Amino acid sequence: VLWYDGPVPDFSGNIGDSKYVTYGYNHNLTAQYTANTYTIVFKGNGATNTMANKSVTFGTGTKITSSFVLSGFDFAGWATSASAREPQYANGFNFDTFSAGANNNGATFTLYAIWKSTLNLDQQGGSGGTTSVTGTRNLSMNSATAPTRTGWTFGGYYTQEGGKGTQYYSSSMASTHLHDLGNGTTLYAFWQSTVNLDQQGGSGGTTSISGIYNLPMPTAYAPARNGYTFDGYWTGRGGSGTQYYNGDMISTHTYDLASGTTLYAKWTCGTVVLDQQGGTGGSANVVPVYNAPMPTAIAPIRTGWTFGGYYTQEGGRGTQYYTASMTSAKDWTETTNITLYAKWTTTIALNMDGGSGGTSSIVVTYNAPMPTATAPTRTGYTFGGYYTESNGNGTRFYTEKMESAQDWNLAVNTSLYAKWVARQYVVTFEYNGATEGNEIESKNVSFGNFYSDLPSPSKAGSSFAGWYLESTFQTPITSTTVVSTASDHTIYAKWSTWLILHVSGTSNSVSSISEINALYTNATVDIYPATGQYVSSISFDNVNYYTISYTEYTFANLSFALKASYYASIYSNILGLDFEHIFRNYFDNNEAIHVYLVMQDTPYERLITSSGGTSVQGVAVGATFGGTAYISGYDYDNMSDEDTVTLVAKVTQNDYRFVGWFAADNMGLCLSTEISATLKKSIVYERQIIAKFEKIESNPNMNDDMNNP
């Protein structure tokens, strides 16, 4: 700086530092400046060209503009240090703003070009991190954030995929290399993961691997399995999904599997035989893959049978591998070299042979146990199983508990037959007061068979009348009677005895006491009171077993008698005639049967009694009495069919004459016209016999003699 005196400097008189003051008054000094000059050296800092040094005078507004060139990089500005990360001065800046050494005239300054480039960060399937980074050439990589990827471990950024080339970022995103890559260069994320190798029953090989994304599969060793051929590792069982190793453990796919992923060994089984079990026309064998669906195959056929698939055991037992339509029923998990068996079913009938309520037909499986079914029931019999023939003959296929007796192995259209075993029951004997022959208390009998030997008891004053199923003596039981009661039961001894029949009515009408020397089965006792009279009761003496029913017929507008019928269940071992429709039958003390005969042409049934007088009550009004009709007593049980029976009828009935003896079941057949008729037992035994009378018309020429027609 130079100083000059005078109010107006003309810069002609420099007083200098040692100038003496020559003015005797106040005065001004004026400073005069000279601009500094500098030399600027330009460093391209990697540029492919150079720039000449430049002399610059301060205050002249000189622009500092770069002419450097560096391919792939952007010129970012100037810095006074080659290691500056950011420029201090922009390109084309005014040197007058340069502050370093501004008062050092003639100084030399160096300016360095600052280069930047932007790089792409390919996350290789990751997410969430920095996707691009802008850095300064030849300095450490700028800060950036790492991506994340489920199942993978980040290993930094590299110039090539799969961790190849040069690493620029570590796994923690620390710089591992100077920024020397041009704009648009891509760095690739490096991912690693650990994958399990499921050997699927094999052994001896590698069990896990650590792979790098987008690189071939790492070296590993194959497992071994007896009887199977190894066919590589796959993402799905049984060779399904994507293959990553072949059978020689050579990579067949780039590594793109997350940690925890499992690859499955594929094993090709040996030949599996398909046993058609009597069928024809289907596939003979297949080659399945372990843990894979069954391969395509053709079903067999068999006439009369329905195909049900293939199983590991005969008869549809074990594990099913093919359905009836030959689709895969499950993935193959068996050992090699086994046989699969066809399942065949058909429907057969179960013949219950008199039983009821059980299963009537079943679906059987060839070479399999018999299916579940219910047994029939049959009164009096125990079920004994099902056989191929009736009565328990042939081969048994069901037990008495309807459990399978053996596997089904017969042809179609076969029937099985129920076996029945007659049940045994205990028959207890009720002797009803027998005094001898009553030692046997009970015996066993078989349902459907004869009662066979029965006791023959005796009783003082009575005649044994046989065994009966009921205590009321309805159903007789003999040694040839078939057992039809399906339970333990009692049969009852019946005895014939004298009994007294009492019939009572009003005090002046019906009163009858008759002795009967036997009990008649289902006999009917009909009493005909006179008009205005009635029957009030009927009773028996000296009998233990009988039943009585009572019916009264009232015809108020009729002039003849009312009828009351009493039915007594009684039995005779002496006479076998059926007296159900012969009225008022009884034995007299002489053991002769008195038969009340039926008059055929009266408007109501008249009874001709044997007494012949008015002492017998209970007959119709207007009836006259006389004559007898009787059958001599016989022991019918001990008679042969050719032995004879005598019937006697003596009639003095006015206006009627005897026509003959007729069978009630065929009134057109006259057995005899004799009043005293002798007939074979075979004709009259257990048969209703009627003495028929006809009315005699008046004949003046015969003096109205009614007995001389």
Side-chain angles (χ1 to χ4, degrees):
V1 177
L2 299 178
W3 293 93
Y4 294 88
D5 59 4
V8 178
D10 57 6
F11 303 106
S12 61
N14 184 1
I15 63 175
D17 293 336
S18 59
K19 182 78 176 178
Y20 293 103
V21 176
T22 59
Y23 300 101
Y25 53 86
N26 293 334
H27 59 278
N28 296 323
L29 294 178
T30 302
Q32 182 179 6
Y33 292 91
T34 300
N36 292 338
T37 301
Y38 308 102
T39 299
I40 301 176
V41 177
F42 297 101
K43 297 292 184 181
N45 202 13
T48 56
N49 63 336
T50 60
M51 284 180 65
N53 295 341
K54 186 178 184 67
S55 177
V56 178
T57 300
F58 190 83
T60 60
T62 302
K63 303 292 185 181
I64 308 301
T65 302
S66 171
S67 62
F68 286 126
V69 176
L70 180 58
S71 178
F73 287 88
D74 298 322
F75 181 78
W78 301 99
T80 58
S81 171
S83 60
R85 185 169 293 278
E86 299 295 334
Q88 294 169 277
Y89 302 98
N91 189 25
F93 76 95
N94 187 341
F95 187 76
D96 292 344
T97 64
F98 188 76
S99 59
N103 296 321
N104 188 3
N105 186 35
T108 298
F109 300 105
T110 300
L111 291 178
Y112 296 88
I114 303 300
W115 301 99
K116 288 183 177 291
S117 64
T118 299
L119 309 180
N120 299 317
L121 299 182
D122 186 334
Q123 297 179 339
Q124 293 280 285
S127 62
T130 303
T131 57
S132 66
V133 61
T134 300
T136 302
R137 182 182 180 277
N138 273 350
L139 295 183
S140 62
M141 299 295 290
N142 277 17
S143 296
T145 57
T148 59
R149 188 179 182 191
T150 301
W152 294 82
T153 300
F154 179 67
Y157 276 101
Y158 288 77
T159 55
Q160 297 178 37
E161 294 182 1
K164 292 184 178 181
T166 303
Q167 185 181 29
Y168 278 78
Y169 282 105
S170 68
S171 60
S172 62
M173 289 301 286
S175 177
T176 58
H177 197 278
L178 297 179
H179 189 119
D180 57 2
L181 301 173
N183 280 317
T185 301
T186 298
L187 297 179
Y188 299 92
F190 169 50
W191 297 103
Q192 285 183 304
S193 68
T194 299
V195 171
N196 301 317
L197 298 181
D198 186 331
Q199 299 179 343
Q200 291 284 285
S203 60
T206 303
T207 58
S208 65
I209 53 172
S210 291
I212 298 172
Y213 185 75
N214 265 353
L215 290 186
M217 302 297 289
T219 299
Y221 299 97
R225 188 178 183 192
N226 187 35
Y228 284 85
T229 300
F230 177 66
D231 193 20
Y233 275 102
W234 302 69
T235 54
R237 289 181 171 85
S240 61
T242 304
Q243 186 180 26
Y244 279 80
Y245 285 106
N246 65 16
D248 297 323
M249 288 302 287
I250 296 173
S251 176
T252 59
H253 197 281
T254 55
Y255 193 101
D256 56 2
L257 305 169
S259 287
T261 302
T262 298
L263 295 177
Y264 300 91
K266 175 184 177 182
W267 297 103
T268 302
C269 181
T271 299
V272 171
V273 174
L274 299 180
D275 186 331
Q276 298 180 4
Q277 293 280 284
T280 58
S283 301
N285 53 64
V286 291
V287 179
V289 173
Y290 187 79
N291 262 348
M294 299 300 291
T296 301
I298 300 172
I301 57 175
R302 188 179 182 191
T303 302
W305 295 83
T306 300
F307 177 66
Y310 275 101
Y311 292 75
T312 55
Q313 298 177 35
E314 294 182 354
R317 289 172 289 186
T319 303
Q320 184 180 23
Y321 276 93
Y322 280 107
T323 67
S325 60
M326 285 303 284
T327 58
S328 179
K330 75 179 298 288
D331 293 349
W332 181 257
T333 57
E334 307 295 327
T335 57
T336 187
N337 299 325
I338 73 166
T339 298
L340 295 179
Y341 300 91
K343 175 185 177 181
W344 297 103
T345 59
T346 190
T347 300
I348 65 167
L350 297 181
N351 189 324
M352 300 181 196
D353 201 13
S356 63
T359 303
S360 59
S361 65
I362 53 174
V363 177
V364 294
T365 300
Y366 187 75
N367 272 347
M370 301 300 289
T372 299
T374 56
T377 59
R378 185 179 176 189
T379 301
Y381 292 88
T382 298
F383 177 67
Y386 271 105
Y387 291 75
T388 54
E389 300 175 26
S390 60
N391 298 323
N393 295 319
T395 304
R396 182 173 72 160
F397 278 90
Y398 278 110
T399 68
E400 61 278 359
K401 296 180 180 179
M402 283 303 284
E403 297 171 344
S404 178
Q406 71 164 46
D407 293 352
W408 182 257
N409 56 7
L410 302 181
V412 297
N413 301 322
T414 301
S415 292
L416 295 180
Y417 299 87
K419 174 185 176 182
W420 296 106
V421 179
R423 293 180 181 172
Q424 286 207 331
Y425 298 106
V426 176
V427 174
T428 302
F429 300 107
E430 172 54 65
Y431 288 95
N432 287 329
T435 54
E436 294 183 8
N438 55 356
E439 296 82 6
I440 301 174
E441 294 182 357
S442 62
K443 67 173 292 187
N444 293 330
V445 294
S446 296
F447 189 89
N449 293 331
F450 295 140
Y451 276 89
S452 298
D453 297 333
L454 297 175
S456 297
S458 60
K459 180 179 179 182
S462 299
S463 176
F464 178 59
W467 293 102
Y468 279 78
L469 186 62
E470 305 90 3
S471 61
T472 55
F473 310 115
Q474 302 298 314
T475 307
I477 301 295
T478 68
S479 60
T480 58
T481 300
V482 174
V483 177
S484 60
T485 301
S487 62
D488 294 344
H489 56 283
T490 299
I491 61 175
Y492 301 86
K494 196 166 190 181
W495 303 98
S496 63
T497 185
W498 289 88
L499 63 89
I500 304 297
L501 170 65
H502 302 273
V503 180
S504 299
T506 60
S507 59
N508 62 349
S509 60
V510 179
S511 179
S512 175
I513 299 178
S514 302
E515 291 184 340
I516 300 177
N517 191 24
L519 305 178
Y520 301 120
T521 302
N522 294 328
T524 301
V525 179
D526 286 353
I527 307 299
Y528 289 80
T531 301
Q533 298 176 342
Y534 64 93
V535 175
S536 62
S537 66
I538 184 171
S539 63
F540 295 93
D541 286 348
N542 302 325
V543 65
N544 295 321
Y545 308 102
Y546 62 88
T547 59
I548 299 175
S549 61
Y550 169 77
T551 304
E552 180 177 358
Y553 299 87
T554 302
F555 301 95
N557 60 332
L558 298 179
S559 61
F560 51 85
L562 307 180
K563 181 178 78 168
S565 297
Y566 297 83
Y567 301 92
S569 178
I570 53 183
Y571 173 83
S572 170
N573 71 320
I574 297 178
L575 187 64
L577 292 176
D578 180 358
F579 289 101
E580 184 174 356
H581 300 293
I582 298 180
F583 304 101
R584 193 65 181 277
N585 303 290
Y586 61 91
F587 281 93
D588 63 11
N589 291 334
N590 296 320
E591 297 187 357
I593 297 176
H594 293 230
V595 182
Y596 283 69
L597 303 177
V598 179
M599 311 302 287
Q600 300 296 314
D601 57 348
T602 55
Y604 56 91
E605 293 179 339
R606 246 181 228 179
L607 300 183
I608 305 302
T609 71
S610 62
S611 301
T614 59
S615 60
V616 177
Q617 303 297 317
V619 297
V621 174
T624 58
F625 312 114
T628 61
Y630 63 91
I631 301 174
S632 299
Y634 292 91
D635 186 352
Y636 274 75
D637 290 340
N638 295 319
M639 292 174 62
S640 70
D641 288 343
E642 296 299 312
D643 289 338
T644 59
V645 175
T646 300
L647 284 71
V648 179
K650 295 180 180 181
V651 180
T652 59
Q653 173 65 42
N654 292 332
D655 300 325
Y656 286 89
R657 65 166 169 244
F658 174 74
V659 175
W661 295 100
F662 290 79
D665 54 357
N666 185 4
M667 289 297 292
L669 174 61
C670 180
L671 302 178
S672 175
T673 59
E674 299 294 328
I675 291 177
S676 178
T678 300
L679 302 174
K680 291 181 180 180
K681 172 197 171 186
S682 59
I683 295 177
V684 300
Y685 184 59
E686 295 186 345
R687 196 172 191 182
Q688 180 182 348
I689 306 300
I690 295 178
K692 184 176 180 182
F693 296 82
E694 65 181 8
K695 191 171 184 180
I696 302 172
E697 295 183 1
S698 176
N699 188 342
N701 296 326
M702 298 187 67
N703 300 317
D704 293 327
D705 183 358
M706 308 303 292
N707 294 318
N708 293 295

